[in-house]
Each structure stands twice: as C-alpha cells, then as structure tokens.
C-alpha cells in the first residue's frame, strides 16, 4: 500500500523532470527577489536556502526522488519512510520559495509524514488511507470554495467569460490565444469558441471539487474512491491538454496519493469505516475549509505560510483578471504600478529607479529595491485574503488606478509581514503608487 504511494510519486516526478529536460525546459524558474514568510519558528531564510537553483535542483530534488525510491522498495522500514518525509520536507520548502511544482506537493508532504506516524505508532492501513483522502479533499475543496469566495460575487466564476479569461488572453481587437501553454492549442481554441463547452468545463470542475471529492471522503463506499481518483486524473489530463501543460504535469505527482486513497481491503471492502476515529479525523481535516467558511465566513483555514496553504488555485473572475492586468500589470500600456518597499521612501529616492518583478535580476548596487506588487501579491494560484478584499473594492467601484488600495494593503503588510526582501531580509511593509516608463519600468513620477 505505502509502496505504491512512494513508487508512483517517484515515477511521476521523474517522468516530469525527464520530459522537461528533453523539451529543453528549465526545472527551475530563476532566483526570486522576495520570499514568503514560513510558519513560526522556521527561520525566514529557510525557504530561500532550499529554493535556490543549485540547492533545489542539484541536491534536494535528486535526494527526494532517491529516498522515495528506497521507501518504495522497503516500505516497512521506519528509517526509509522517515528519510522520504524529511527529504520531501526540504524539497517542499524550496518549492514554496520558487512557486514551482504547484500545490500538488502539499498533499504529498502531508501523506509522507502520516505514513511515518502510521508505522511508528502502528495506526494501521485505515489511518493511512483516511489521511490520503483528507489531504486530497483539502486541496480540492479549498480550491473549489476559493472560486466561490475570491470573486466579488459568488456567481462571477460561473460566467463563461471567466473560464475564457482564465484559458486565454486577447491579442488585438478580436483574436484570443491560449494564456498559458496547452499541449494541444488547437483543442483549446475549439473550447474557447464554444460557450457550452466552457460551461461544461466550469460546472464539471466545481462538481468535482465541491461534491465528488468531499463525498468520497465522507461516504466511504467500495469503489467510490477509485472512481474519484480516475476523475481527478482525467481532470489533470484536461488541464494538460487544453489549459497549461506546465500546471497539468505538476499534478501528476499526486498519482501516489490517489493510489493510496483508493486502496481497499483484500476482499474489496472499505478500509475506512464511517464513524471510526480515522474517518472522523480525515473528515475534520479534509472538510476544514467548509467548516471555516461556516464559522468565519471564508474558507481560508490558514495563510500561504509553509507548510500551510489555503490552496486557492485559479480562483479569479474575469473582472478581477482584467482589472489587475490593466491597472497592476502592463496591459494597455499601463504606466501605474503598485510597489512594495521595506521602508518609507521619499519621492526623490524612487524617481529614476527600476520597478522589479519577483523573478527579475536586480541591480547588485541598489540598496533600495522597488518590488512590483504584480506577481508578488497577485498570483494565479496564490491568494492573500486581505489583498483580495482591497482588490474587490476597487473592481466594484470601477476604479481607474490602484491608489485606493495602497493604505489597506500597507496596513495588512505591516500587521502580517507575509513577504521578505531577499537582499536585505527585511519585511515588505510599505506601499507606494508610482508612474513608470512602460518599456523600461523606470519610475518617472510618484503618485502616492
């Protein structure tokens, strides 16, 4: 049972690495100028240390694949499971810094440690299967509820324009092209020009995330977990083929977790029985986003502070995407930028400096860096609830610039300190609105 989890996880991630290398893609997307804050008491620099290219790709990734292969060969050895969990822990830290390998690595991390505890305390196969189902359910349910709660209106995500905007971007007046890198662009184009197909994709995804996967966790019928696992794999293949080959292959690492959650007893009966303590524990963990929504009015059980994640995957509505692209990004030759700094700067200190993106190489002689809020506070698969609140307020007002969100975002940054500058290792706590040259990104005027 555990052997299949380790073996499939190792095989899937090895195949993804091999495909990337054969296709000439990079396994590491470059060093970053900012780093997310992990949970206390993990040192702030830990994610950065693990996420550097020379560490993550040359050491942590091979170490993780090797230990998972060993655990697959010797799943009854506690030391093998422990080494696999520890190696994946450090690998996962690096992923959190680089925003690579997607959120699929979180369930693998949680299940890896659950398998250690299971063998250490002889908790049994029922516990292992229950935790695998809980981890997968948390990922899917959190993602589904975010799609309802992140947009200003819960109905915004069900509008065909939202799926169209997620899958494509406009080039010129009429033409739309795939926003990311689907394996079959021609198939994506067929879907984009069919409102019915877009509705089927949207509703199918929401039913999977909000109904099918949670039902698998709660009902525990023989064969149901296998059927849901197959549906999840088909979902990932659909993402790979028509949405993003990068995002689609990221979730192949979940094959091991899917196999474990679908395990049954030798006679085909369920290993997790309704009402038992493994079932109850799994239900509380897996359904925690829904429980949080009922109690607190939002599904964010925790923030994006490793090893915690709110798993808000592609939750943005078309209105939010268009506003962010036009007023925080570079669409329509936008000149206004929301910038983040570690200290309050006067206008003379900012004019003439470059606004740098998260992955852009920064000048080594600059003591003060102006970080672009775009891709730091806004990301396709990363949600900061306080930023969402400020964004929705401006979207609803049809604001023409981000000036209105500066005060609220700064208040939140000072309170939570979610991001750190990787040059000074000080938290980003100040927000400025500037005007830049749209080509050079050099500040020409400070607005506020």
């Amino acid at each position: 049972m555990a052997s299949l989890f380790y073996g499939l996880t190792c095989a899937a991630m090895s195949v993804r690495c091999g495909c990337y290398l054969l296709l000439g893609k990079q396994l590491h997307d470059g060093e970053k100028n900012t780093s997310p804050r992990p949970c206390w008491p993990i040192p702030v620099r830990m994610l950065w240390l693990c996420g550097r290219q020379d560490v993550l790709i040359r050491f942590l990734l091979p170490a993780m694949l090797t230990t998972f292969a060993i655990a697959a060969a010797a799943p009854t050895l506690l030391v093998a499971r422990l080494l696999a969990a520890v190696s994946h822990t450090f690998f996962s830290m690096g992923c959190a810094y680089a925003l690579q390998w997607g959120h699929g690595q979180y369930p693998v991390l949680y299940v890896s440690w659950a398998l250690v505890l299971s063998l250490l305390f002889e908790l049994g196969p029922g516990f292992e299967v229950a935790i695998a189902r809980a981890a997968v359910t948390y990922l899917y349910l959190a993602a589904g509820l975010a799609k309802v709660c992140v947009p200003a209106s819960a109905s915004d995500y069900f509008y065909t324009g939202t799926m169209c905007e997620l899958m494509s971007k406009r080039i010129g007046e009429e033409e739309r092209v795939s926003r990311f890198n689907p394996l079959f662009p021609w198939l994506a184009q067929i879907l984009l020009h069919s409102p019915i197909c877009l509705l089927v994709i949207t509703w199918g995804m929401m039913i999977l995330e909000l109904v099918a996967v949670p039902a698998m966790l709660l009902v525990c019928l023989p064969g149901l977990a296998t059927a849901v696992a197959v549906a999840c794999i088909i979902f990932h293949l659909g993402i790979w083929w028509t949405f993003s080959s990068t995002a689609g292959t990221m979730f192949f690492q979940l094959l091991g977790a899917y196999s474990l959650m679908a395990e049954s007893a030798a006679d085909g009966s369920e290993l997790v029985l309704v009402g038992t303590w493994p079932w109850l524990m799994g239900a509380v963990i897996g359904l925690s986003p829904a429980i949080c929504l009922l109690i607190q009015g939002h599904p964010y059980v925790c923030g994006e502070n490793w090893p915690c994640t709110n798993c808000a995957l592609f939750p943005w509505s078309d209105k939010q995407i268009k506003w962010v692209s036009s007023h925080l990004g570079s669409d329509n030759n936008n000149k206004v930028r929301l910038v983040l700094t570690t200290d309050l700067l006067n206008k003379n200190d900012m004019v003439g400096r470059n606004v740098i993106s998260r992955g852009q190489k920064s000048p080594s002689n600059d003591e003060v860096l102006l970080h672009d809020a775009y891709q730091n506070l806004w990301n396709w698969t990363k949600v900061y609830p306080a930023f969402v609140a400020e964004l929705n307020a401006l979207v609803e007002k049809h604001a023409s610039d981000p000036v209105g969100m500066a005060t609220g975002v700064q208040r939140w940054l000072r309170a939570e300190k979610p991001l750190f500058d990787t040059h000074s290792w000080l938290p980003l706590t100040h927000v400025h609105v500037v005007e830049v040259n749209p080509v050079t990104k050099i500040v020409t005027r400070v607005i506020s």
Side-chain angles (χ1 to χ4, degrees), residues 93-373:
M93 287 185 189
C95 293
Y97 159 76
L99 287 185
Q100 298 198 163
W101 293 87
H103 282 69
Q105 46 98 7
Y106 283 98
V108 178
L109 173 67
Y110 304 151
V111 173
S112 297
W113 280 106
L115 291 178
V116 173
L117 295 177
S118 175
L119 193 59
L120 182 62
F121 297 106
E122 299 181 349
L123 300 177
F127 169 79
E128 297 175 359
V129 173
I131 295 301
R133 292 178 181 178
V136 171
T137 301
Y138 179 85
L139 175 71
Y140 277 82
L141 183 59
L145 291 176
K147 293 176 177 67
V148 177
C149 297
V150 168
S153 171
S155 62
D156 285 351
Y157 205 89
F158 296 88
Y159 168 58
T160 56
T162 289
M163 186 55 64
C164 184
E165 198 66 34
L166 285 166
M167 293 179 64
S168 66
K169 56 185 177 182
R170 187 178 296 280
I171 301 294
E173 292 296 324
E174 299 294 333
E175 184 182 2
R176 298 193 73 91
V177 298
S178 295
R179 184 178 292 278
F180 302 106
N181 54 342
L183 188 63
F184 301 125
W186 59 269
L187 181 56
Q189 285 296 318
I190 293 175
L191 299 178
L192 287 171
H193 289 87
S194 172
I196 293 178
C197 287
L198 293 175
L199 278 176
V200 169
I201 292 171
T202 302
W203 280 96
M205 176 177 61
M206 298 303 281
I207 290 172
L208 178 66
E209 294 179 341
L210 297 178
V211 180
V213 176
M216 174 269 302
L217 175 70
L218 290 177
V219 178
C220 299
L221 290 176
L224 179 59
T226 300
V228 171
V230 171
C232 292
I233 293 171
I234 293 173
F235 177 49
H236 297 324
L237 290 174
I239 293 174
W240 184 27
W241 293 343
T242 64
F243 182 69
S244 168
S245 58
T246 302
T249 56
M250 281 180 180
F251 284 96
F252 287 175
Q253 62 191 302
L254 285 172
L255 285 176
Y258 291 153
S259 69
L260 183 56
M261 79 179 194
E263 284 286 349
S264 58
D267 60 357
S269 61
E270 264 290 326
L271 285 169
V272 182
L273 301 179
V274 176
T276 59
W277 74 265
W279 174 85
L280 181 60
M281 176 182 290
V284 171
I285 295 172
L287 300 181
S288 57
I291 297 171
C292 185
L293 179 62
L294 290 173
I295 297 175
Q296 299 188 23
H298 63 75
Y300 316 116
V301 178
C302 53
E304 283 289 345
N305 308 111
W306 189 94
C308 301
T309 175
N310 55 36
C311 287
L313 311 180
F314 297 97
W316 309 102
S317 70
D318 62 323
K319 296 176 184 178
Q320 292 170 316
I321 296 170
K322 290 175 181 177
W323 194 93
V324 167
S325 299
S326 299
H327 299 95
L328 295 181
S330 56
D331 283 10
N332 302 323
N333 290 318
N334 175 44
K335 297 181 180 180
V336 179
R337 291 289 191 278
L338 196 71
V339 298
L340 315 176
T341 62
T342 59
D343 203 352
L344 181 63
L345 303 177
N346 61 50
K347 295 183 178 181
N348 293 333
D349 288 332
M350 288 189 282
V351 173
R353 291 184 181 273
N354 282 87
V355 175
I356 60 172
S357 62
R358 186 169 187 264
Q360 178 184 339
K361 188 174 181 180
S362 58
S364 57
N365 58 343
D366 264 12
E367 294 183 2
V368 178
L369 298 181
L370 306 182
H371 297 275
D372 199 339

